[in-house]
Amino acid sequence: MNFQAYVSLWASCLVGGLLFFTLHSSSKPVDYVPQCPMAKPHRPSTYLANTPVIDTILHDPEFRNQSLVKLQNAIRIKTETHDDDPITVEDDPEYWAKFDIFESYLKSTFPLFYQNTELHKVNHHGLVYIWRGTNTTLKPLLLMGHQDTSPVPESTLPLWTYPPFDAHYNGTHLFGRGSSDCKNLVIGYFEAAEELMKTGFIPRRTVIFSFGFDEEVSGVRNKNAEWLEEKFGSKSMYAICDEGGVSLTTLDGTTMAVPGTGEKGFLNLWIDLKTPGGHSSVPPDHTSLGIMADLMVQIENDPFPSYFTPQNPTYHQYVCLAENSATIDQELKKNILSSLTSSLANKRVREYMESSRWLKYYIKTSQALDVIHGGSKSNALPEFVQLTINSRVAIEETIYSALRKYLGNVKDVAQKYGLGLSYQLKNESAVEILPPTPQGDFLVHTDEFFDVAPLTPINDNHWKLFAGNIKHVYEELVWPEIYQGPDAHNPIIVSPGIAPGNTDTKYYWNLSDHIYRYRPGEYTSVETSAHGVNEWIKFDSHLQIIVFYFEYIQSVDEIDD
Ligand SMILES: *[C@@H]1O[C@H](CO)[C@@H](O)[C@H](O)[C@H]1NC(C)=O
Ligand SMILES: *[C@@H]1O[C@H](CO)[C@@H](O)[C@H](O)[C@H]1NC(C)=O
Ligand SMILES: *[C@@H]1O[C@H](CO)[C@@H](O)[C@H](O)[C@H]1NC(C)=O
Ligand SMILES: *[C@@H]1O[C@H](CO)[C@@H](O)[C@H](O)[C@H]1NC(C)=O
Ligand SMILES: *[C@@H]1O[C@H](CO)[C@@H](O)[C@H](O)[C@H]1NC(C)=O
Ligand SMILES: [Zn+2]
């Protein structure tokens, strides 16, 4: 998934605050009640007893070495997926056989895990492991990831410092496709569970691991969620964890972890324009290409509105920043904190965010004109032109409100040129807005869209436990020397946020209201060149994944729903 904008959000915001404004000390009104859903560190009661295991995972060279080898060998098994992969697995079993190899590798590498769980293969290569708990009235915890990786195009091979499937380790960093997105997470779950199994831990609460095999190509073959819903029922899971979010990012003394508690919607829209053909020696004043060009200009000049509302996790992210950052501009801070009561303050915050390309799409629907097809010959009038637009739909909007805005643009242009207009969603029948005319007509259609994800609650115990576990792991286990004691660094702020891209969780909404998109680690996905050349991780980050899930599984096990 794409984290670029995500990371840049924080960079721009904080750097912007530094570059353009002077430093002020923070002061809050006397009766101010903080709104940032700040969690206190949450540790399982076993945490002291487990100190030797935790120390081993984080600091023991032998543990590091054997953990490294497990991840390296997972990276060496190529599991790339491509946009044109066959949709039906049965149609090309050989193509998909790489996932059999990957699963065999998991089986031989994690025998203890296999002994303690049941494996169900869903749609051939979807893996669902069930680690049964002793108390079946407790809702299972569901941990997700994907086995596939984005592809390495042949043309980029020479750009890699170390070949992408060698899994080269240089003593601190590991390089290779999937090292960060997200074989580290998948292998980390196995290692965390095995460490728990070695201590004799028997869960009360069932833990389920669910791994798709086509996340990088939209996940259409992922039937794991349907299978789970059939077996366990809707809203049957305590919580769902998957990749995503901002692992950790530190700027100017403010360190943040930003689990994704929402996802924007997704809409691919096609606009077809058909007009009569003819010889180009006697053209109409505007050919279909010219008319489409006019429409394109109109669309770009009519951007979507922006919103700064508590519906959007971004609002809470900024509130957390305003309440906790020492370097944020005081005017901006004041505006953020009064944005619900003052429309002027709200407008100012939106103007601030809209001034940056990297910030604004957290608070509005994007529109990108991405593909144009049309015309075939220099002496023939174009009879068919097709425009493709990609939109990431704001939390406050819906696929339908986005569609309405585009239909408004098309209708204006259709009327201007005396053309017809209809639209069609998926395979439903077309709806006519303006009747076809001899001059031609527009058809607006889509079969690729996902609604805005339901929001994960952020004021409940589920959030406190998840966010608190992040603080426990980083402040108390990974960096106690930084975050403990009289000279302690400012605490880590764990804030909700939105993920502009989609993960496989889009198929899992029915299973739980509590979805956390977060992968522990010291660097964000974009910093580690996920999907890019020279993808890497700092190996410490991998060990942090293991410790995080070692602790989180136990924390979740100790509470009742
Ligand atoms: C792991 O340790 C073994 C022996 O202890 C050593 O031979 C091997 O090179 C180490 N592997 C790596 C990747 O460092
Ligand atoms: C390993 O690679 C990273 C990233 O390129 C680099 O920062 C680090 O210094 C390297 N470590 C060693 C021991 O060479
Ligand atoms: C649309 O397609 C789905 C499956 O692809 C099918 O179940 C449904 O009946 C179709 N609807 C129409 C109106 O053709
Ligand atoms: C979720 O449940 C609703 C209602 O039961 C159903 O229509 C929908 O298809 C389900 N979604 C998924 C992704 O399975
Ligand atoms: C299972 O957990 C529930 C709480 O959700 C509790 O009330 C019940 O006593 C537990 N059952 C057993 C056998 O521990
Ligand atoms: Zn991923």
mmCIF file of all heavy atoms in Angstrom, residues 135 137-138 204 560-561, ligand 5:
data_model
loop_
_atom_site.group_PDB
_atom_site.id
_atom_site.type_symbol
_atom_site.label_atom_id
_atom_site.label_comp_id
_atom_site.label_asym_id
_atom_site.label_seq_id
_atom_site.Cartn_x
_atom_site.Cartn_y
_atom_site.Cartn_z
ATOM 1 N N ASN A 135 -11.477 -20.510 26.153
ATOM 2 C CA ASN A 135 -12.781 -19.929 26.454
ATOM 3 C C ASN A 135 -13.447 -19.470 25.166
ATOM 4 O O ASN A 135 -13.118 -18.412 24.632
ATOM 5 C CB ASN A 135 -12.632 -18.767 27.434
ATOM 6 C CG ASN A 135 -13.971 -18.247 27.905
ATOM 7 O OD1 ASN A 135 -14.981 -18.410 27.237
ATOM 8 N ND2 ASN A 135 -13.974 -17.618 29.074
ATOM 9 N N THR A 137 -16.267 -18.301 24.649
ATOM 10 C CA THR A 137 -17.154 -17.125 24.657
ATOM 11 C C THR A 137 -16.380 -15.838 24.370
ATOM 12 O O THR A 137 -16.986 -14.819 24.062
ATOM 13 C CB THR A 137 -17.922 -16.969 25.996
ATOM 14 O OG1 THR A 137 -16.971 -16.749 27.024
ATOM 15 C CG2 THR A 137 -18.758 -18.198 26.312
ATOM 16 N N LEU A 138 -15.062 -15.883 24.460
ATOM 17 C CA LEU A 138 -14.272 -14.685 24.135
ATOM 18 C C LEU A 138 -14.096 -14.582 22.623
ATOM 19 O O LEU A 138 -13.778 -15.574 21.963
ATOM 20 C CB LEU A 138 -12.895 -14.762 24.807
ATOM 21 C CG LEU A 138 -12.894 -14.760 26.336
ATOM 22 C CD1 LEU A 138 -11.489 -15.051 26.858
ATOM 23 C CD2 LEU A 138 -13.393 -13.426 26.881
ATOM 24 N N ARG A 204 -6.627 -18.133 26.326
ATOM 25 C CA ARG A 204 -8.047 -18.258 26.641
ATOM 26 C C ARG A 204 -8.821 -17.828 25.408
ATOM 27 O O ARG A 204 -9.829 -18.398 25.056
ATOM 28 C CB ARG A 204 -8.440 -17.302 27.782
ATOM 29 C CG ARG A 204 -7.848 -17.580 29.131
ATOM 30 C CD ARG A 204 -7.994 -16.318 30.008
ATOM 31 N NE ARG A 204 -9.398 -16.065 30.354
ATOM 32 C CZ ARG A 204 -9.980 -14.863 30.298
ATOM 33 N NH1 ARG A 204 -9.296 -13.802 29.900
ATOM 34 N NH2 ARG A 204 -11.235 -14.698 30.632
ATOM 35 N N ASP A 560 -11.624 -9.508 29.509
ATOM 36 C CA ASP A 560 -12.850 -10.041 28.940
ATOM 37 C C ASP A 560 -13.347 -8.992 27.960
ATOM 38 O O ASP A 560 -12.962 -7.835 28.032
ATOM 39 C CB ASP A 560 -13.862 -10.331 30.042
ATOM 40 C CG ASP A 560 -13.382 -11.486 30.939
ATOM 41 O OD1 ASP A 560 -12.619 -12.327 30.430
ATOM 42 O OD2 ASP A 560 -13.723 -11.508 32.135
ATOM 43 N N ASP A 561 -14.199 -9.373 27.049
ATOM 44 C CA ASP A 561 -14.573 -8.463 25.956
ATOM 45 C C ASP A 561 -15.072 -7.112 26.454
ATOM 46 O O ASP A 561 -15.703 -7.009 27.465
ATOM 47 C CB ASP A 561 -15.646 -9.098 25.075
ATOM 48 C CG ASP A 561 -15.025 -10.191 24.229
ATOM 49 O OD1 ASP A 561 -13.824 -10.085 23.917
ATOM 50 O OD2 ASP A 561 -15.725 -11.167 23.913
HETATM 51 C C1 LIG B 5 -15.105 -17.116 29.630
HETATM 52 O O1 LIG B 5 -15.086 -15.714 29.572
HETATM 53 C C2 LIG B 5 -16.257 -15.097 30.048
HETATM 54 C C3 LIG B 5 -16.090 -13.613 29.884
HETATM 55 O O2 LIG B 5 -16.276 -13.241 28.581
HETATM 56 C C4 LIG B 5 -16.455 -15.439 31.487
HETATM 57 O O3 LIG B 5 -17.667 -14.860 31.941
HETATM 58 C C5 LIG B 5 -16.495 -16.931 31.670
HETATM 59 O O4 LIG B 5 -16.530 -17.244 33.027
HETATM 60 C C6 LIG B 5 -15.263 -17.568 31.051
HETATM 61 N N1 LIG B 5 -15.382 -18.994 31.076
HETATM 62 C C7 LIG B 5 -14.431 -19.761 31.544
HETATM 63 C C8 LIG B 5 -14.694 -21.249 31.482
HETATM 64 O O5 LIG B 5 -13.410 -19.330 32.004
#
